[in-house]
Amino acid sequence: LAKTTQPISMDSYEGQEVNITCSHNNIATNDYITWYQQFPSQGPRFIIQGYKTKVTNEVASLFIPADRKSSTLSLPRVSLSDTAVYYCLVGGYNFNKFYFGSGTKLNVKP
Amino acid sequence: DVKVTQSSRYLVKRTGEKVFLECVQDMDHENMFWYRQDPGLGLRLIYFSYDVKMKEKGDIPEGYSVSREKKERFSLILESASTNQTSMYLCASSSGTAPREQYFGPGTRLTVT
């Protein structure tokens, strides 16, 4: 089971870049890395997904080193509205292995 | 936009009652999921379905069953509710071509007394 390890919490200030690193030492060859965001009283929301190197969309960037044993979610210039819990998941098509874990609680301060 | 709706936002049931949680998605997604979320434990997969009438157990299926008679609807059933099933229940769906991009409903906070 490709479980992940993330920091429990992080603090940042508005306008800063935030990097959240996730460790997944047991990642399998066909596993993708996926990140979700969850606000209080809402279901998680898909942010970004990648397999290797770098992926960027309008919300975030995802950096994956060659060995794929870790990944970093980068949020550029965060605002107060980015305060949320961020989950890193690894998994392929077998959803039994799609493990959410406890996530990283990001607190953005003014 | 994908919309996943759940039948209730809040639900209070008594121990031993049979409880039905309904989930409907409007994007013709093949995959549907039921999770429960508890403080400190994150989200845990109860059951998922990749097609009508098909179901697979997740990490914590004990005490739950599911039904998927139509593609858009996935029901979670608590046969005999117990207090340890008090939790937030989240339904999600995803397409067969983007299985890991799950769309979640707003959740149902179930309290069993």
Side-chain angles (χ1 to χ4, degrees):
Chain A
L1 182 62
K3 291 195 176 182
T4 60
T5 303
Q6 304 174 231
I8 294 173
S9 64
M10 294 180 67
D11 288 332
S12 181
Y13 290 93
E14 282 192 290
Q16 288 187 332
E17 178 184 73
V18 172
N19 295 309
I20 306 174
T21 297
C22 178
S23 171
H24 30 78
N25 292 318
N26 295 327
I27 189 168
T29 304
N30 60 353
D31 283 344
Y32 280 71
I33 298 152
T34 311
W35 285 81
Y36 283 78
Q37 174 192 56
Q38 185 177 25
F39 299 113
S41 301
Q42 293 185 25
R45 182 176 73 104
F46 173 88
I47 302 177
I48 197 166
Q49 174 179 262
Y51 184 80
K52 60 181 179 180
T53 62
K54 177 184 174 182
V55 180
T56 298
N57 62 21
E58 65 278 5
V59 176
S61 295
L62 178 60
F63 299 92
I64 305 168
D67 66 4
R68 303 196 333 120
K69 293 184 183 299
S70 67
S71 59
T72 299
L73 175 73
S74 181
L75 304 172
R77 301 182 59 80
V78 294
S79 64
L80 296 176
S81 63
D82 292 315
T83 292
V85 178
Y86 292 82
Y87 295 94
C88 163
L89 295 83
V90 294
Y93 209 89
N94 185 343
F95 295 110
N96 272 350
K97 305 293 191 289
F98 206 47
Y99 178 70
F100 265 85
S102 297
T104 297
K105 185 174 172 51
L106 173 65
N107 184 31
V108 180
K109 303 175 184 178
Chain B
D1 273 354
V2 175
K3 193 162 185 181
V4 179
T5 56
Q6 296 184 229
S7 50
S8 306
R9 288 302 306 269
Y10 300 94
L11 206 54
V12 180
K13 295 291 181 181
R14 294 191 181 274
T15 301
E17 278 193 84
K18 190 169 186 175
V19 182
F20 292 87
L21 301 182
E22 302 285 332
C23 175
V24 178
Q25 51 94 3
D26 66 358
M27 280 301 292
D28 203 35
H29 281 170
E30 290 84 356
N31 307 310
M32 296 190 74
F33 310 83
W34 275 106
Y35 295 86
R36 64 176 283 176
Q37 184 169 29
D38 301 287
L41 297 176
L43 278 82
R44 293 179 292 168
L45 181 64
I46 304 172
Y47 268 98
F48 68 95
S49 169
Y50 52 88
D51 200 353
V52 175
K53 295 191 185 295
M54 305 302 290
K55 60 184 179 183
E56 293 281 348
K57 293 179 181 179
D59 293 326
I60 50 164
E62 295 79 19
Y64 304 95
S65 62
V66 291
S67 172
R68 193 166 180 200
E69 297 297 320
K70 294 185 177 181
K71 191 174 185 179
E72 67 271 18
R73 188 179 299 269
F74 193 35
S75 302
L76 180 69
I77 303 152
L78 287 66
E79 296 289 343
S80 178
S82 63
T83 55
N84 63 12
Q85 292 178 310
T86 291
S87 186
M88 172 67 82
Y89 289 88
L90 290 156
C91 174
S93 72
S94 70
S95 73
T97 54
R100 292 163 295 273
E101 187 173 339
Q102 297 184 23
Y103 293 83
F104 282 81
T108 295
R109 182 163 295 283
L110 172 67
T111 302
V112 183
T113 61

Coordinates of all heavy atoms in Angstrom, one line a residue, chain A residues 1 30-34 36 38 40-46 49 85 87 89-103, chain B residues 9-10 31 33 35 37 40-45 48 50 56-59 88 90 94-97 99-107:
Chain A
L1 N 0.9 -1.2 0.0 CA 0.0 0.0 0.0 C 0.9 1.2 0.0 O 1.7 1.4 0.9 CB -0.9 0.0 1.2 CG -1.9 1.2 1.4 CD1 -2.9 1.1 0.2 CD2 -2.6 1.1 2.7
N30 N 3.1 2.1 -11.8 CA 2.0 2.6 -12.5 C 1.2 3.6 -11.6 O 0.1 4.0 -12.0 CB 1.1 1.5 -13.0 CG 0.6 0.6 -11.8 OD1 1.0 0.8 -10.7 ND2 -0.4 -0.3 -12.1
D31 N 1.7 4.0 -10.5 CA 1.1 5.0 -9.6 C 1.2 6.4 -10.1 O 2.3 6.8 -10.6 CB 1.6 4.9 -8.2 CG 1.1 3.7 -7.4 OD1 0.1 3.1 -7.9 OD2 1.6 3.4 -6.4
Y32 N 0.2 7.2 -10.0 CA 0.2 8.6 -10.3 C 0.2 9.3 -8.9 O -0.2 8.7 -7.9 CB -1.0 9.1 -11.1 CG -0.8 8.9 -12.6 CD1 -0.8 7.6 -13.1 CD2 -0.6 9.9 -13.4 CE1 -0.7 7.4 -14.5 CE2 -0.4 9.7 -14.8 CZ -0.5 8.5 -15.3 OH -0.3 8.3 -16.6
I33 N 0.6 10.6 -8.9 CA 0.6 11.4 -7.7 C -0.5 12.5 -7.9 O -0.5 13.2 -8.9 CB 1.9 12.0 -7.4 CG1 3.0 10.9 -7.2 CG2 1.9 12.9 -6.2 CD1 4.4 11.3 -7.6
T34 N -1.4 12.5 -6.9 CA -2.6 13.4 -7.1 C -2.7 14.2 -5.8 O -2.5 13.7 -4.7 CB -3.9 12.6 -7.3 OG1 -3.7 11.6 -8.3 CG2 -5.0 13.5 -7.6
Y36 N -5.2 17.0 -3.6 CA -6.6 17.5 -3.4 C -6.5 18.6 -2.3 O -5.6 18.6 -1.5 CB -7.5 16.4 -2.9 CG -8.0 15.5 -3.9 CD1 -7.2 14.5 -4.4 CD2 -9.3 15.7 -4.5 CE1 -7.7 13.6 -5.4 CE2 -9.8 14.8 -5.4 CZ -9.0 13.8 -5.9 OH -9.4 12.9 -6.9
Q38 N -9.1 20.6 0.6 CA -10.4 20.6 1.2 C -10.6 21.7 2.2 O -9.7 22.0 3.1 CB -10.5 19.3 2.0 CG -11.9 19.1 2.6 CD -12.1 17.8 3.4 OE1 -11.1 17.2 3.8 NE2 -13.3 17.3 3.5
P40 N -13.1 23.6 5.1 CA -14.0 23.1 6.1 C -15.4 23.0 5.6 O -15.9 23.8 4.8 CB -13.9 24.2 7.2 CG -12.6 24.8 7.0 CD -12.3 24.8 5.5
S41 N -16.1 21.9 6.0 CA -17.5 21.6 5.7 C -17.7 21.4 4.2 O -18.8 21.6 3.7 CB -18.4 22.8 6.2 OG -18.3 22.9 7.6
Q42 N -16.7 21.1 3.4 CA -16.8 20.8 2.0 C -16.1 19.5 1.7 O -15.2 19.1 2.5 CB -16.2 21.9 1.1 CG -17.0 23.2 1.2 CD -16.4 24.2 0.2 OE1 -15.8 23.8 -0.8 NE2 -16.6 25.5 0.5
G43 N -16.4 18.9 0.6 CA -15.7 17.7 0.1 C -14.4 18.1 -0.5 O -14.2 19.3 -0.9
P44 N -13.4 17.3 -0.6 CA -12.1 17.6 -1.2 C -12.3 18.0 -2.7 O -13.3 17.6 -3.3 CB -11.3 16.3 -1.1 CG -11.9 15.6 0.0 CD -13.4 15.9 0.0
R45 N -11.4 18.8 -3.2 CA -11.4 19.2 -4.6 C -10.1 18.9 -5.2 O -9.0 19.2 -4.7 CB -11.6 20.7 -4.6 CG -11.7 21.3 -6.0 CD -12.1 22.8 -5.9 NE -10.9 23.6 -5.5 CZ -10.2 24.4 -6.3 NH1 -10.5 24.4 -7.6 NH2 -9.2 25.1 -5.8
F46 N -10.1 18.3 -6.4 CA -8.9 17.9 -7.2 C -8.1 19.2 -7.5 O -8.7 20.2 -8.0 CB -9.4 17.2 -8.4 CG -8.2 16.9 -9.4 CD1 -7.5 15.7 -9.3 CD2 -8.0 17.8 -10.4 CE1 -6.5 15.5 -10.2 CE2 -6.9 17.5 -11.3 CZ -6.2 16.3 -11.2
Q49 N -2.4 16.6 -10.8 CA -1.9 15.2 -10.9 C -0.7 15.2 -11.8 O -0.6 15.9 -12.8 CB -3.1 14.4 -11.4 CG -2.7 12.9 -11.7 CD -3.9 12.2 -12.2 OE1 -4.6 11.5 -11.5 NE2 -4.1 12.3 -13.5
V85 N -6.9 22.1 4.0 CA -6.1 20.9 4.2 C -5.8 20.4 2.8 O -6.7 20.3 1.9 CB -6.9 19.9 5.0 CG1 -6.1 18.6 5.1 CG2 -7.3 20.4 6.3
Y87 N -4.2 17.2 0.6 CA -3.9 15.8 0.6 C -3.1 15.4 -0.6 O -3.3 15.8 -1.7 CB -5.2 15.0 0.6 CG -6.2 15.2 1.7 CD1 -7.2 16.2 1.7 CD2 -6.0 14.4 2.9 CE1 -8.0 16.3 2.7 CE2 -6.9 14.6 3.9 CZ -7.9 15.5 3.9 OH -8.8 15.7 4.9
L89 N -1.9 12.0 -2.6 CA -2.3 10.6 -2.8 C -1.5 10.0 -3.9 O -1.1 10.7 -4.9 CB -3.8 10.5 -3.2 CG -4.8 10.9 -2.3 CD1 -5.1 12.4 -2.4 CD2 -6.1 10.2 -2.6
V90 N -1.2 8.7 -3.8 CA -0.6 8.0 -4.9 C -1.5 6.8 -5.2 O -2.0 6.2 -4.3 CB 0.9 7.5 -4.5 CG1 1.8 8.7 -4.4 CG2 0.9 6.6 -3.3
G91 N -1.6 6.5 -6.4 CA -2.4 5.3 -6.8 C -2.5 5.2 -8.3 O -2.3 6.2 -9.0
G92 N -2.8 4.0 -8.7 CA -3.0 3.8 -10.1 C -4.5 3.6 -10.3 O -5.3 4.4 -9.9
Y93 N -4.9 2.5 -11.0 CA -6.3 2.3 -11.2 C -7.0 1.5 -10.1 O -8.2 1.4 -10.1 CB -6.5 1.6 -12.6 CG -7.8 2.0 -13.2 CD1 -7.9 3.1 -14.1 CD2 -9.0 1.3 -13.0 CE1 -9.1 3.4 -14.7 CE2 -10.2 1.6 -13.6 CZ -10.2 2.7 -14.4 OH -11.4 3.0 -15.0
N94 N -6.2 1.0 -9.2 CA -6.8 0.2 -8.2 C -7.1 1.1 -7.0 O -6.3 1.6 -6.2 CB -5.7 -0.8 -7.7 CG -6.3 -1.8 -6.6 OD1 -7.3 -1.5 -6.0 ND2 -5.6 -2.9 -6.4
F95 N -8.4 1.4 -6.9 CA -8.8 2.5 -5.9 C -8.7 2.0 -4.5 O -8.7 2.8 -3.6 CB -10.3 2.9 -6.2 CG -10.4 3.6 -7.5 CD1 -11.1 3.0 -8.6 CD2 -9.8 4.8 -7.7 CE1 -11.2 3.6 -9.8 CE2 -10.0 5.5 -8.9 CZ -10.6 4.9 -10.0
N96 N -8.5 0.7 -4.3 CA -8.2 0.3 -2.9 C -6.9 0.8 -2.4 O -6.7 0.9 -1.2 CB -8.2 -1.2 -2.8 CG -9.5 -1.8 -2.6 OD1 -10.5 -1.1 -2.3 ND2 -9.6 -3.1 -2.7
K97 N -6.1 1.2 -3.3 CA -4.7 1.8 -2.9 C -4.7 3.3 -2.9 O -3.7 3.9 -2.8 CB -3.7 1.2 -3.8 CG -3.6 -0.3 -3.9 CD -3.2 -0.9 -2.6 CE -2.9 -2.4 -2.7 NZ -4.2 -3.2 -3.0
F98 N -5.9 3.9 -3.2 CA -5.9 5.4 -3.3 C -6.1 5.9 -1.9 O -7.3 6.1 -1.4 CB -7.1 5.7 -4.2 CG -6.9 7.0 -4.9 CD1 -5.7 7.4 -5.5 CD2 -8.0 7.9 -5.0 CE1 -5.6 8.6 -6.1 CE2 -7.8 9.1 -5.6 CZ -6.6 9.5 -6.2
Y99 N -5.1 6.2 -1.2 CA -5.1 6.4 0.3 C -5.0 7.9 0.6 O -4.0 8.6 0.2 CB -3.9 5.7 0.9 CG -3.8 5.9 2.4 CD1 -4.7 5.3 3.3 CD2 -2.7 6.6 2.9 CE1 -4.6 5.5 4.6 CE2 -2.6 6.8 4.3 CZ -3.5 6.3 5.1 OH -3.4 6.4 6.5
F100 N -6.0 8.5 1.2 CA -6.0 9.9 1.5 C -5.1 10.4 2.6 O -4.5 11.4 2.6 CB -7.5 10.4 1.7 CG -8.1 10.9 0.5 CD1 -8.8 10.1 -0.4 CD2 -8.1 12.3 0.2 CE1 -9.4 10.6 -1.5 CE2 -8.7 12.8 -0.9 CZ -9.4 11.9 -1.8
G101 N -5.1 9.6 3.7 CA -4.3 10.1 4.8 C -4.9 11.3 5.5 O -6.1 11.6 5.3
S102 N -4.1 11.9 6.4 CA -4.7 13.0 7.2 C -4.4 14.4 6.6 O -4.9 15.4 7.0 CB -4.1 13.0 8.6 OG -4.5 11.8 9.2
G103 N -3.5 14.5 5.6 CA -3.3 15.7 4.9 C -2.4 16.7 5.7 O -2.0 16.5 6.8
Chain B
R9 N -27.6 16.9 4.2 CA -26.4 17.4 4.8 C -26.2 17.0 6.3 O -25.0 16.7 6.7 CB -26.4 19.0 4.8 CG -26.2 19.6 3.4 CD -24.9 19.2 2.8 NE -23.7 19.4 3.5 CZ -23.0 20.6 3.5 NH1 -23.4 21.5 2.7 NH2 -21.9 20.7 4.2
Y10 N -27.3 16.8 7.0 CA -27.2 16.4 8.4 C -28.3 15.3 8.6 O -29.4 15.4 8.0 CB -27.5 17.5 9.3 CG -26.5 18.7 9.2 CD1 -26.7 19.7 8.4 CD2 -25.3 18.6 9.9 CE1 -25.8 20.8 8.3 CE2 -24.4 19.6 9.8 CZ -24.6 20.7 9.0 OH -23.7 21.7 8.8
N31 N -17.1 5.7 -12.3 CA -16.7 5.3 -11.0 C -17.4 6.1 -9.9 O -17.6 7.4 -10.1 CB -15.2 5.6 -10.8 CG -14.4 4.9 -11.9 OD1 -14.5 3.7 -12.1 ND2 -13.5 5.6 -12.5
F33 N -17.7 6.5 -5.4 CA -17.0 6.1 -4.2 C -17.8 6.6 -2.9 O -18.5 7.6 -3.0 CB -15.7 6.8 -4.1 CG -14.8 6.7 -5.3 CD1 -15.0 7.5 -6.5 CD2 -13.9 5.7 -5.4 CE1 -14.3 7.3 -7.6 CE2 -13.1 5.6 -6.5 CZ -13.3 6.4 -7.6
Y35 N -16.7 7.5 1.1 CA -15.7 7.6 2.1 C -16.4 8.1 3.4 O -17.4 8.6 3.4 CB -14.7 8.7 1.7 CG -13.9 8.5 0.5 CD1 -14.3 8.9 -0.8 CD2 -12.6 8.0 0.6 CE1 -13.5 8.7 -1.9 CE2 -11.8 7.8 -0.5 CZ -12.3 8.2 -1.8 OH -11.5 8.0 -2.9
Q37 N -15.1 10.4 6.8 CA -14.0 11.3 7.3 C -14.2 11.5 8.8 O -15.2 12.0 9.2 CB -14.0 12.6 6.6 CG -12.8 13.5 6.9 CD -12.7 14.7 6.0 OE1 -13.6 15.1 5.4 NE2 -11.4 15.1 5.8
G40 N -8.5 13.3 12.6 CA -7.2 12.6 12.8 C -7.0 11.4 12.0 O -5.9 10.8 11.9
L41 N -8.1 10.9 11.3 CA -8.0 9.7 10.4 C -8.1 10.0 9.0 O -7.9 9.1 8.1 CB -9.1 8.7 10.8 CG -9.0 8.2 12.3 CD1 -10.2 7.3 12.6 CD2 -7.7 7.4 12.5
G42 N -8.4 11.2 8.6 CA -8.5 11.6 7.2 C -9.7 10.9 6.5 O -10.7 10.6 7.2
L43 N -9.6 10.7 5.3 CA -10.7 10.1 4.5 C -10.4 8.6 4.4 O -9.2 8.3 4.0 CB -10.9 10.7 3.1 CG -11.7 12.0 3.0 CD1 -10.8 13.1 3.4 CD2 -12.2 12.1 1.6
R44 N -11.3 7.8 4.6 CA -11.1 6.3 4.4 C -12.2 5.8 3.5 O -13.4 6.1 3.6 CB -11.2 5.6 5.8 CG -10.0 6.0 6.7 CD -10.2 5.3 8.1 NE -11.3 5.8 8.8 CZ -11.8 5.2 9.9 NH1 -11.2 4.1 10.4 NH2 -12.8 5.7 10.6
L45 N -11.7 5.0 2.6 CA -12.6 4.4 1.5 C -13.4 3.3 2.1 O -12.9 2.3 2.6 CB -11.8 4.0 0.3 CG -12.6 3.4 -0.9 CD1 -13.4 4.5 -1.5 CD2 -11.6 2.9 -1.9
F48 N -16.3 1.3 -3.4 CA -16.4 1.9 -4.6 C -17.0 1.1 -5.7 O -17.2 -0.2 -5.5 CB -15.0 2.4 -5.1 CG -14.0 1.4 -5.4 CD1 -13.9 1.0 -6.8 CD2 -13.2 0.8 -4.5 CE1 -13.0 0.0 -7.1 CE2 -12.3 -0.2 -4.8 CZ -12.2 -0.6 -6.1
Y50 N -17.3 0.6 -10.1 CA -16.7 1.1 -11.4 C -17.7 0.8 -12.5 O -17.4 1.1 -13.6 CB -15.4 0.4 -11.7 CG -15.4 -1.1 -11.5 CD1 -15.8 -1.9 -12.6 CD2 -15.1 -1.7 -10.3 CE1 -15.8 -3.3 -12.5 CE2 -15.2 -3.1 -10.2 CZ -15.5 -3.9 -11.3 OH -15.6 -5.2 -11.2
E56 N -16.8 -2.8 -5.1 CA -15.6 -3.4 -4.5 C -15.4 -2.8 -3.1 O -15.7 -1.6 -2.9 CB -14.4 -2.9 -5.3 CG -14.3 -3.5 -6.7 CD -13.8 -5.0 -6.7 OE1 -13.3 -5.4 -5.7 OE2 -14.0 -5.6 -7.8
K57 N -14.9 -3.6 -2.2 CA -14.7 -3.2 -0.8 C -13.5 -2.2 -0.8 O -12.5 -2.4 -1.5 CB -14.4 -4.4 0.1 CG -15.7 -5.2 0.3 CD -15.4 -6.4 1.2 CE -16.6 -7.3 1.4 NZ -16.3 -8.5 2.2
G58 N -13.6 -1.2 0.1 CA -12.5 -0.4 0.3 C -11.8 -0.8 1.6 O -11.7 -2.0 1.9
D59 N -11.3 0.2 2.3 CA -10.5 -0.1 3.5 C -11.4 -0.5 4.7 O -10.9 -1.3 5.6 CB -9.6 1.1 3.9 CG -8.6 1.4 2.9 OD1 -8.0 0.4 2.4 OD2 -8.2 2.5 2.7
M88 N -18.7 12.0 9.2 CA -19.0 12.7 7.9 C -18.8 11.7 6.8 O -17.8 11.0 6.6 CB -18.0 13.8 7.7 CG -18.2 14.5 6.4 SD -19.7 15.3 6.1 CE -19.4 16.9 7.0
L90 N -18.8 11.1 2.7 CA -18.5 11.8 1.5 C -18.6 10.9 0.3 O -18.1 9.8 0.3 CB -17.1 12.4 1.5 CG -17.0 13.6 2.4 CD1 -15.5 13.8 2.8 CD2 -17.5 14.9 1.8
S94 N -15.8 9.7 -10.5 CA -14.8 10.0 -11.5 C -15.0 9.3 -12.8 O -15.7 8.2 -12.8 CB -13.4 9.7 -10.9 OG -13.2 8.3 -10.8
S95 N -14.4 9.8 -13.8 CA -14.7 9.1 -15.1 C -13.7 8.0 -15.3 O -12.6 7.9 -14.6 CB -14.5 10.1 -16.3 OG -13.1 10.5 -16.4
G96 N -14.0 7.1 -16.3 CA -13.1 6.0 -16.5 C -11.8 6.5 -17.2 O -10.7 5.8 -17.0
T97 N -11.8 7.6 -17.8 CA -10.6 8.1 -18.5 C -9.7 9.0 -17.6 O -8.5 9.2 -17.8 CB -10.9 9.0 -19.7 OG1 -11.9 10.0 -19.3 CG2 -11.6 8.1 -20.8
P99 N -9.6 8.5 -13.8 CA -10.1 7.9 -12.6 C -9.7 8.5 -11.3 O -10.4 8.5 -10.3 CB -9.6 6.5 -12.7 CG -8.4 6.6 -13.5 CD -8.7 7.6 -14.5
R100 N -8.5 9.2 -11.3 CA -8.0 9.7 -10.0 C -8.5 11.1 -9.8 O -8.3 11.7 -8.7 CB -6.5 9.7 -10.0 CG -5.9 8.3 -9.9 CD -4.5 8.2 -10.2 NE -4.3 8.6 -11.6 CZ -4.4 7.8 -12.7 NH1 -4.6 6.5 -12.4 NH2 -4.2 8.2 -13.9
E101 N -9.2 11.7 -10.7 CA -9.8 13.1 -10.6 C -11.2 12.9 -10.1 O -12.1 12.9 -10.9 CB -9.7 13.8 -11.9 CG -10.1 15.3 -11.8 CD -9.9 16.0 -13.1 OE1 -9.1 15.5 -14.0 OE2 -10.5 17.1 -13.3
Q102 N -11.3 12.8 -8.8 CA -12.6 12.6 -8.2 C -13.3 13.9 -7.8 O -12.7 14.8 -7.4 CB -12.4 11.7 -6.9 CG -11.9 10.3 -7.2 CD -11.8 9.5 -6.0 OE1 -12.5 9.7 -5.0 NE2 -10.9 8.5 -6.0
Y103 N -14.6 13.9 -8.1 CA -15.5 15.0 -7.7 C -16.3 14.6 -6.5 O -17.0 13.6 -6.6 CB -16.3 15.4 -8.9 CG -15.5 16.0 -10.1 CD1 -14.9 15.1 -11.0 CD2 -15.4 17.3 -10.2 CE1 -14.2 15.6 -12.0 CE2 -14.6 17.8 -11.3 CZ -14.1 17.0 -12.2 OH -13.3 17.5 -13.2
F104 N -16.2 15.4 -5.5 CA -16.9 15.1 -4.2 C -18.2 15.9 -4.0 O -18.3 17.0 -4.5 CB -16.0 15.4 -3.1 CG -14.9 14.4 -2.8 CD1 -13.7 14.4 -3.6 CD2 -15.0 13.4 -1.9 CE1 -12.8 13.4 -3.4 CE2 -14.0 12.4 -1.7 CZ -12.9 12.5 -2.4
G105 N -19.1 15.2 -3.3 CA -20.3 15.9 -2.9 C -20.0 16.7 -1.6 O -18.9 16.7 -1.1
P106 N -21.0 17.4 -1.1 CA -20.8 18.2 0.1 C -20.7 17.5 1.4 O -20.3 18.0 2.4 CB -22.1 19.1 0.1 CG -23.1 18.3 -0.6 CD -22.4 17.5 -1.6
G107 N -21.1 16.2 1.4 CA -21.0 15.4 2.6 C -22.3 15.3 3.4 O -23.1 16.2 3.3

